[in-house]
Amino acid sequence: MDFTLPDHLPGVLAEMDAFIEAEIKPLEREHMHYFDRHREYARTDWENGGIPQRAWEDLLDEMRRRADAAGWLRYGLPEQFGGRGGSNIDMAVIREHLAHKGLGLHNDLQDESSIVGNFPQVIMMDRFGTEQQKAEWIEAMLTGKRSMAFGLTEPNHGSDATWLETRAERDGDGWVINGTKRWNTGVHRATHDLIFARTSGEPGQARGITAFLVPTDTRGFEVPYYWWTFNMPTDHGEVVLTDVRVPDDAVLGEVDRGLEVGQTFLHENRIRQAASSLGAAQYCIDRAVEYAGQRTVFGKPLAVNQAVQWPLVELQTEAQMVRLLVYYAATELDRSHHMEVSDKVSMANYRANRLVCEAADRAMQVHGGVGYSRHEPFEHIYRHHRRYRITEGAEEIQIRRVAQRLFGFGRR
């Protein structure tokens, strides 16, 4: 097996770093209250449901505008969408690299916003949308004129999505949707919500669920509140749909086969999420090692103590193993249909997400009291990445997916 990176990537990373230093870091320095100890307070609109401050989101929009103008934002998209056709292995290496640089405007954790965009919705639209939907949606999503939240989870159903209770019934040349959705991330600014509803079949059946593009200003579409979370600000809305009417052309993909749309979204996200977790973990490990070498306790460097050395050695070893797994899974994802390597993607995802939580926790411990403070970034890294052990497939579900392939039960 060749463990070297594709020849073009070192040059790409160097170009990217130069762009960050020239265009993004100066902008970040003008708004340091979003990145220092004030970050959570400054970013959150505490009096308006805890959603992100508009000024903070405007700054992220400006970052993306600059990145798009420089040819970075769409790097992972096909050329017909203005991208460079970056592969999954490209995106994994880039996402790891950006997260390894630490907190900053170049790659913000809270909003999953980066100079190299992750656009699973665009890929989803390209694979499942009609020609008219593609024309209306793809460029509009890239420029921010349109956006969609993701309405799969419900109050009574998360990982057991095939048991969802939201229903859509035929009504003339359209549909009427009733139900409740939870954790609709980004719905406070989204123009549409991708709502998954049962259109046929029985609870527990994968077939019979359809994906609908529902405008958020449709009558009967309400967001009664936002969930305040471990990591603020919050943009995770509760959505209630009461006799919401949509036309036939609101269906994304085939009727009754909406979960295929959802699976595409998840697999595209999971491998890049794993790479980001790996990069953030390596950042925490490196900072802890550096601090242990500089900090003097009882007349000698903290680093000479095996109680400090050994946990960091364990984490560094795990990071190297996870890195090889992430790169392998990304490479296989480029070669095969995403369902054929879903177990490898799940392995990389759940191990990387565990690793970053352990690395952030250890960095706090090595730094002592200051590590626990918000003057260091470790608590922010922990709070952000901890959610990945639950969202987009809890780690138990990811492990179950691996078990299905390993033991040969369930759908392969």
Side-chain angles (χ1 to χ4, degrees), residues 177 191-195 212-216 218 221 241 244 246 250:
I177 307 173
T191 60
H192 293 70
D193 200 0
L194 187 62
I195 297 293
F212 295 91
L213 291 161
V214 180
T216 54
T218 303
F221 185 101
L241 303 106
V244 169
V246 294

Side-chain angles (χ1 to χ4, degrees), residues 53-63 189:
Q53 289 277 8
R54 187 56 186 258
W56 160 237
E57 293 191 314
D58 288 345
L59 178 62
L60 294 175
D61 288 343
E62 174 61 17
M63 177 273 288
R189 290 188 65 179

Side-chain angles (χ1 to χ4, degrees), residues 5-50:
L5 295 179
D7 291 341
H8 66 280
L9 272 176
V12 167
L13 298 180
E15 287 179 46
M16 191 180 304
D17 287 344
F19 167 73
I20 291 171
E21 289 302 317
E23 290 283 339
I24 304 303
K25 283 298 179 182
L27 187 61
E28 177 184 314
R29 286 191 286 270
E30 293 174 13
H31 302 87
M32 279 307 296
H33 59 296
Y34 292 128
F35 303 97
D36 62 13
R37 64 191 181 278
H38 304 98
R39 53 187 170 261
E40 185 173 81
Y41 177 81
R43 295 177 180 192
T44 305
D45 188 343
W46 300 100
E47 303 304 318
N48 190 25

Side-chain angles (χ1 to χ4, degrees), residues 85-96:
S87 63
N88 281 296
I89 184 62
D90 282 16
M91 289 296 287
V93 171
I94 288 169
R95 283 283 172 158
E96 179 194 357

Side-chain angles (χ1 to χ4, degrees), residues 288-289 291-292 295 302 308 312 361-368:
V289 169
Y291 182 81
R295 176 73 166 175
L302 187 63
V308 173
L312 291 172
D361 184 73
R362 178 51 50 180
M364 287 187 216
Q365 193 70 21
V366 170
H367 280 75

Side-chain angles (χ1 to χ4, degrees), residues 99-103 278-288 377-378 381:
H100 187 198
K101 294 171 75 70
L103 300 186
L278 169 62
Q282 191 65 64
Y283 170 82
C284 292
I285 295 167
D286 291 350
R287 285 288 311 277
F378 309 122
I381 291 171

